[in-house]
Amino acid sequence: VTLYVFDSEGNYVTTYTETGEVLQNEGYRMQLDLKKGDYRFVAYGGLACEEHSFALLDEPQAGTQWSALSVEMLHDNFSSDIKLHDFYYGTEEGTVTANTYEDVTVRLMKNTNNIRVVLQQVNGQALSNEDFIFTLTDDNTLFNHQNQLVENGIITYAPWSQGCQTVGDEEEDQITVAYAEFSTSRLVDEESHCPRLCIRRASDEKEIIDIPLIDYLLLLKSDAYSDMGAQEFLDRESEWSLIFFLDENLEWQKTQI
């Protein structure tokens, strides 16, 4: 956990960092020694880890404003095929009065997602993941100080894991499916950040699936959460699964009436 402290005018004050097993203790509290005043606390989870996947563009120093905080996802020329290290964000205001102990809770939101895509053929024929090219595109690599995504360019995600899996007890009833898993940055329901999932046949690179990902993920929202907004649902979930059925030509079986 990395905690940045700003004063009531938004000026940088100091940084506190904690790593290691101590964070596994439910009773752990980060203790701060601050002068009397009003403060803005900004917490990030995952920046200080050796395997971090996100980093500040510029570490704050004397004179830095809270509004200057900016975090970017690490990538290879706007491509990524790794499992991203979990990344969290939270901010809260608090007041320190003289000679007293104040308790401030900063609630963190997870910014990283894992998306598992499964392909199954309707006639039961076995599928191989090597017969398909999986990609996911989005513009979601740069965050401002309020954890909002800023346009930064389209990134192409490739699976960090893919393979085949067989289900069924009896051999004659077994079905082998192909799957791929993507690890992505935050997903938002905005026109300027519209991720698309694309799957092509490897044999001729014909596009068999090309969908607006957000629209399909929101189909998974239960009516039990009807009062919850689309963006809150996307932010609360981080593990997603989608299953597509293919016909004998390895094309998406889009049933219509």
Side-chain angles (χ1 to χ4, degrees):
V1 174
T2 305
L3 182 72
Y4 297 103
V5 183
F6 298 84
D7 64 19
S8 59
E9 302 299 322
N11 299 304
Y12 171 71
V13 176
T14 187
T15 301
Y16 292 86
T17 303
E18 186 65 80
T19 61
E21 296 181 358
V22 66
L23 294 174
Q24 298 178 15
N25 182 357
E26 290 290 339
Y28 168 77
R29 298 292 184 272
M30 180 181 284
Q31 297 192 16
L32 316 180
D33 184 14
L34 298 172
K35 297 179 181 180
K36 180 180 179 181
D38 297 322
Y39 294 93
R40 161 76 63 178
F41 304 102
V42 183
Y44 292 101
L47 290 187
C49 303
E50 291 184 2
E51 301 85 5
H52 65 278
S53 299
F54 296 79
L56 282 182
L57 291 184
D58 295 295
E59 282 289 337
Q61 53 188 331
T64 298
Q65 285 280 310
W66 171 48
S67 58
L69 282 183
S70 187
V71 176
E72 185 173 21
M73 178 189 136
L74 306 181
H75 52 78
D76 181 14
N77 194 25
F78 285 94
S79 64
S80 177
D81 61 357
I82 64 172
K83 190 177 188 302
L84 300 175
H85 191 289
D86 290 342
F87 175 51
Y88 298 82
Y89 168 89
T91 182
E92 188 59 72
E93 295 179 348
T95 300
V96 176
T97 56
N99 301 320
T100 61
Y101 172 80
E102 303 290 343
D103 189 40
V104 177
T105 300
V106 181
R107 292 172 174 82
L108 300 180
M109 186 185 77
K110 191 176 183 183
N111 278 320
T112 43
N113 295 268
N114 192 79
I115 302 170
R116 183 179 175 93
V117 178
V118 177
L119 302 181
Q120 178 177 334
Q121 194 170 54
V122 291
N123 64 9
Q125 182 178 339
L127 294 179
S128 170
N129 64 286
E130 297 180 354
D131 293 335
F132 305 93
I133 302 171
F134 303 84
T135 58
L136 194 159
T137 56
D138 199 357
D139 183 354
N140 63 344
T141 57
L142 184 62
F143 295 84
N144 67 11
H145 64 294
Q146 294 179 312
N147 204 46
Q148 297 168 331
L149 287 173
V150 180
E151 292 186 30
N152 194 41
I154 299 296
I155 184 171
T156 299
Y157 295 97
W160 67 269
S161 177
Q162 61 184 83
C164 302
Q165 190 169 336
T166 300
V167 296
D169 297 328
E170 302 297 332
E171 183 174 350
E172 61 271 15
D173 295 328
Q174 289 182 343
I175 295 175
T176 299
V177 302
Y179 69 85
E181 292 196 57
F182 297 91
S183 183
T184 78
S185 179
R186 187 185 183 198
L187 301 171
V188 296
D189 185 27
E190 298 176 3
E191 291 185 4
S192 56
H193 303 278
C194 185
R196 297 195 70 86
L197 172 66
C198 179
I199 302 175
R200 303 193 305 273
R201 284 196 308 243
S203 59
D204 57 3
E205 296 195 2
K206 180 181 178 181
E207 201 172 74
I208 60 173
I209 295 175
D210 181 14
I211 61 172
L213 182 64
I214 297 297
D215 291 348
Y216 279 77
L217 294 185
L218 290 177
L219 290 176
L220 305 177
K221 179 183 171 188
S222 168
D223 286 350
Y225 310 118
S226 59
D227 294 336
M228 183 184 296
Q231 189 56 53
E232 182 179 354
F233 176 71
L234 292 172
D235 288 333
R236 286 183 177 274
E237 288 287 356
S238 64
E239 300 286 339
W240 307 89
S241 298
L242 295 170
I243 300 178
F244 297 93
F245 291 91
L246 309 183
D247 63 19
E248 63 277 5
N249 297 318
L250 298 186
E251 295 189 2
W252 184 15
Q253 185 79 15
K254 291 179 285 188
T255 303
Q256 297 179 358
I257 298 178

